[in-house]
Amino acid sequence: MTLKKWMKRWGLGIRGKLWKMMKCMRSGEQLRLDDMASSSESLATRDYSVSYSSQAAGVDTKVENSNIEEAESSLRESGYLNYEEARALLGRLEYQKGNIEAALHVFEGIDIASVSSKIKASLSRRCEQQNRRRSQSDTAPPMSMHAISLLLEAIFLKVKSLQGLGLFEEAAQSCKMILDTIESALPEGLPESVSSDCKLQDILNKAVELLPELWKLAGSPQEAILSYRRALLYYWNLDTETTSKIEKEFAVFLLYSGCDASPPNLRSQVEESFVPRNNIEEAILLLLILLRKFAVKKIEWDPTIMYHLSFALSVSGEQRTLAHQVEELLPGIMERRERYSILALCYHGEGEEMIALNLLRNLLRNRGNPDCVLELLVASKICAKNMVCVEEGISYASRALSELHGRCNQMASVANRLQGILLSTQSRSVASDSERISKQSEALEMLERAEKLTIERDPSIIFHLSLENAEQRKLDAALHHAKQLLKLEAGSSVRSYILLARILSAQKRFVDAENVINTALDQTGKWDQGELLRTKAKLQIAQGQLKNAIETYTRLLAIIQVRTKSLGAGKNLAKVCVLVLYKLNTPGKEYAPGNCFNENKGFLTFYSHEVLS
């Protein structure tokens, strides 16, 4: 029966009839329309009784009018309001009123499997009709676009209801069904005839954005990753803002979720195109895409994009790439101080110390930049590695201490440690003994102060305390700190063993020193034994065990040759080993025990050139 005949038969306007229908549905009465009996999907063919009368006492008239207008639209398009559509309208009414459980109860009555198959058929047929000229044999789609939007909205509201009740996995499955339905019906993406429906597009946008969040809440990170990729790879006709939001959320999830994502399996890709191999690479790719969108003014600037990209590139060792990205940003996007700081850290991480120092000099020269403690400490650390800049480094460390004003003990400890190292370095280049002793005492005082300010023991501070005491020939104190360092690091550092062995050798305890080196060799891999073997050989020479020293140098030379072939490094050290072996095997050359540990040369001469260089 057509809509016109139906209206004429009943003699009522559509709005009046639908008002009566909605009241009957909520009051528990059964609505029977004899003229709609020809439709197997009409309300008259099913008994529908819902006991919501107690909850619907205060009905929001505005919400009811909205639902009635929806029903009017469905009636105009199809001539009848079927069972699923009626439930969709009533469920939405309950959801809008905040009755989530009641809304879910109504939505559960919709046969989603049956509805999904009809939506697939309708969308597929509409797409086919758009791609070819319509003929007489073409039949009308089973469902109108309005009905499709109404039912998809009902499924989405069911998803939101399940989410509100904490049933995240069920919500994710229902949300996934929406996307499965659309994707299977339109495998090539949404055509204009479908995407032009604003309500349907809005539902799809929300469903695509919500699905990964539901999987995360359900504790299924792999499903969340697949949902994110699906949202970005399939043509959902999402707006730029929604796509960018999904890309950023996906990048953040890849970086910090702790879940290892398998490489994406793309259905079609350009030959030799880049495919990310792990989480970090995929996150970097997404964040670079966001930066490009900003560069072409498709999105607004979001500073968190740069923060996440800085983290991703730093942990992957791509500091130079990060520096290039920062340099390519338009002026005014990033503050001058932040730009210079990031660039300095990048070049410092890449070993370009002077470039980093020059950037920091330009920044710190301006006294208008308050609270530059981090930049001052980095500059001081760089200066500590360069004898020419020691005086400058001391001034930076002193300035950092003055700006801290006791606010942060940890930062103050770092500043004191750096100043102690710088003063110790400076003491080696002074002319007079009195000035050298003064600088050494001041350096030791700074290092001890740094140790007191730390909450937990800092291996770096203890190492330099031991080294400075050894330099000043305070061997008992140096030995005490070296043992503390070895215990603190649980024997994980080669330099701790070497430091302890050389302090023992300075006390003429060569056997103990060699035993320390042997213990270290037992716990160290072949590739890291070079410096240990070198120290052991010198200890054996000091004891007059020249044959043993030759064997040790031979082992060292074999390791160096293997490393040279595989890594192309260590050629200079190999030449040194060959030269030493030649001298050891040359008759007439005497090696007095202790020649390698001449006290007149000082402990640091032996240690710094052998280990720190």
Side-chain angles (χ1 to χ4, degrees), residues 579-595:
L579 181 60
V580 171
L581 285 171
Y582 170 76
K583 289 183 177 180
L584 288 173
N585 286 286
T586 302
K589 182 67 176 177
E590 296 183 359
Y591 284 86
N595 269 0

Side-chain angles (χ1 to χ4, degrees), residues 167-204:
L167 303 173
F168 302 119
E169 188 169 354
E170 293 87 339
Q173 294 291 352
S174 298
C175 190
K176 184 173 179 292
M177 185 171 290
I178 297 176
L179 305 186
D180 289 342
T181 301
I182 300 298
E183 190 171 5
S184 60
L186 305 169
E188 300 300 324
L190 272 68
E192 293 182 3
S193 61
V194 176
S195 60
S196 60
D197 189 309
C198 296
K199 185 173 182 180
L200 176 60
Q201 186 64 57
D202 183 56
I203 294 168
L204 283 177

Side-chain angles (χ1 to χ4, degrees), residues 546-595:
L546 300 185
K547 290 185 178 180
N548 293 338
I550 291 173
E551 292 178 2
T552 304
Y553 269 117
T554 303
R555 284 177 59 190
L556 175 59
L557 183 59
I559 293 174
I560 293 171
Q561 287 176 339
V562 172
R563 292 190 65 179
T564 303
K565 290 179 180 178
S566 58
L567 303 177
K571 293 182 179 179
N572 293 333
L573 190 57
K575 291 178 181 178
V576 171
C577 289
V578 172
L579 181 60
V580 171
L581 285 171
Y582 170 76
K583 289 183 177 180
L584 288 173
N585 286 286
T586 302
K589 182 67 176 177
E590 296 183 359
Y591 284 86
N595 269 0

Side-chain angles (χ1 to χ4, degrees), residues 428 463-464 467 495 502 531 604 606-613:
R428 301 168 206 160
F463 172 80
H464 285 96
L467 183 59
R495 74 172 186 172
R502 291 184 172 177
E531 196 60 44
L604 188 69
F606 175 83
Y607 188 83
S608 62
H609 290 291
E610 304 292 341
V611 177
L612 295 183
S613 60

Side-chain angles (χ1 to χ4, degrees), residues 423-491:
L423 287 168
S424 177
T425 305
Q426 190 182 42
S427 68
R428 301 168 206 160
S429 59
V430 295
S432 64
D433 289 342
S434 59
E435 189 177 359
R436 176 175 57 81
I437 293 171
S438 175
K439 293 289 183 183
Q440 287 179 339
S441 299
E442 194 176 351
L444 196 57
E445 182 183 349
M446 285 292 179
L447 290 170
E448 289 172 349
R449 189 182 303 171
E451 185 184 24
K452 292 177 182 177
L453 289 172
T454 53
I455 299 174
E456 298 180 354
R457 308 300 300 276
D458 186 344
S460 178
I461 295 175
I462 298 174
F463 172 80
H464 285 96
L465 268 172
S466 178
L467 183 59
E468 186 60 30
N469 277 292
E471 168 68 16
Q472 298 181 30
R473 307 308 297 173
K474 299 176 182 179
L475 297 180
D476 290 336
L479 183 62
H480 171 71
H481 288 298
K483 289 179 178 179
Q484 279 189 331
L485 178 63
L486 194 63
K487 184 178 179 180
L488 183 63
E489 294 181 337

Side-chain angles (χ1 to χ4, degrees), residues 286-414:
L286 291 166
L287 293 168
L288 289 176
I289 291 172
L290 289 171
L291 278 183
R292 293 296 175 267
K293 286 183 179 180
F294 166 73
V296 297
K297 299 181 179 180
K298 287 187 176 181
I299 59 173
E300 297 293 328
W301 171 245
D302 183 357
T304 60
I305 294 174
M306 205 65 216
Y307 300 155
H308 298 311
L309 184 61
S310 299
F311 172 78
L313 289 172
S314 298
V315 297
S316 59
E318 294 292 337
Q319 288 90 349
R320 190 176 296 276
T321 304
L322 175 58
H324 291 164
Q325 293 300 321
V326 174
E327 289 168 349
E328 288 177 1
L329 289 177
L330 297 174
I333 298 302
M334 188 178 289
E335 292 184 2
R336 180 176 179 271
R337 174 185 169 183
E338 185 180 9
R339 180 189 291 264
Y340 275 55
S341 298
I342 293 176
L343 288 174
L345 288 171
C346 289
Y347 285 113
H348 173 56
E350 286 291 324
E352 302 285 349
E353 305 291 1
M354 293 311 300
I355 296 177
L357 185 58
N358 287 332
L359 287 166
L360 291 171
R361 283 169 176 166
N362 291 333
L363 178 63
L364 298 172
R365 193 177 293 123
N366 183 6
R367 291 283 179 175
N369 292 324
D371 195 19
C372 293
V373 177
L374 176 62
E375 291 79 4
L376 288 167
L377 293 178
V378 175
S380 179
K381 180 182 177 182
I382 295 172
C383 291
K385 299 178 181 180
N386 192 335
M387 290 290 292
V388 180
C389 308
V390 171
E391 190 71 36
E392 184 182 2
I394 293 173
S395 67
Y396 288 141
S398 301
R399 186 174 159 188
L401 285 170
S402 63
E403 288 192 10
L404 281 169
H405 300 297
R407 288 178 298 168
C408 178
N409 287 340
Q410 290 298 108
M411 297 286 278
S413 174
V414 174

Side-chain angles (χ1 to χ4, degrees), residues 116-248:
S116 298
S117 62
K118 291 180 181 179
I119 293 174
K120 289 179 188 178
S122 300
L123 291 175
S124 299
R125 195 168 301 172
R126 283 181 179 275
C127 186
E128 290 172 2
Q129 290 175 0
Q130 185 185 15
N131 294 335
R132 71 171 187 268
R133 296 183 64 180
R134 188 165 183 176
S135 62
Q136 291 184 349
S137 61
D138 290 332
T139 59
M143 300 177 70
S144 65
M145 285 302 301
H146 182 80
I148 292 172
S149 300
L150 182 63
L151 292 171
L152 286 177
E153 183 191 30
I155 301 174
F156 182 74
L157 292 179
K158 178 184 177 183
V159 171
K160 296 293 290 183
S161 300
L162 289 167
Q163 182 187 11
L165 295 173
L167 303 173
F168 302 119
E169 188 169 354
E170 293 87 339
Q173 294 291 352
S174 298
C175 190
K176 184 173 179 292
M177 185 171 290
I178 297 176
L179 305 186
D180 289 342
T181 301
I182 300 298
E183 190 171 5
S184 60
L186 305 169
E188 300 300 324
L190 272 68
E192 293 182 3
S193 61
V194 176
S195 60
S196 60
D197 189 309
C198 296
K199 185 173 182 180
L200 176 60
Q201 186 64 57
D202 183 56
I203 294 168
L204 283 177
N205 287 0
K206 292 177 180 177
V208 169
E209 194 174 346
L210 180 62
L211 183 56
E213 298 300 324
L214 291 173
W215 283 124
K216 285 191 282 186
L217 291 171
S220 301
Q222 291 296 338
E223 291 292 339
I225 290 171
L226 293 176
S227 299
Y228 274 124
R229 288 173 178 167
R230 181 183 192 180
L232 297 174
L233 293 176
Y234 184 76
Y235 182 70
W236 299 107
N237 198 31
L238 304 176
D239 57 88
T240 305
E241 184 179 353
T242 303
T243 304
S244 301
K245 183 179 178 182
I246 293 173
E247 288 170 344
K248 179 186 169 183

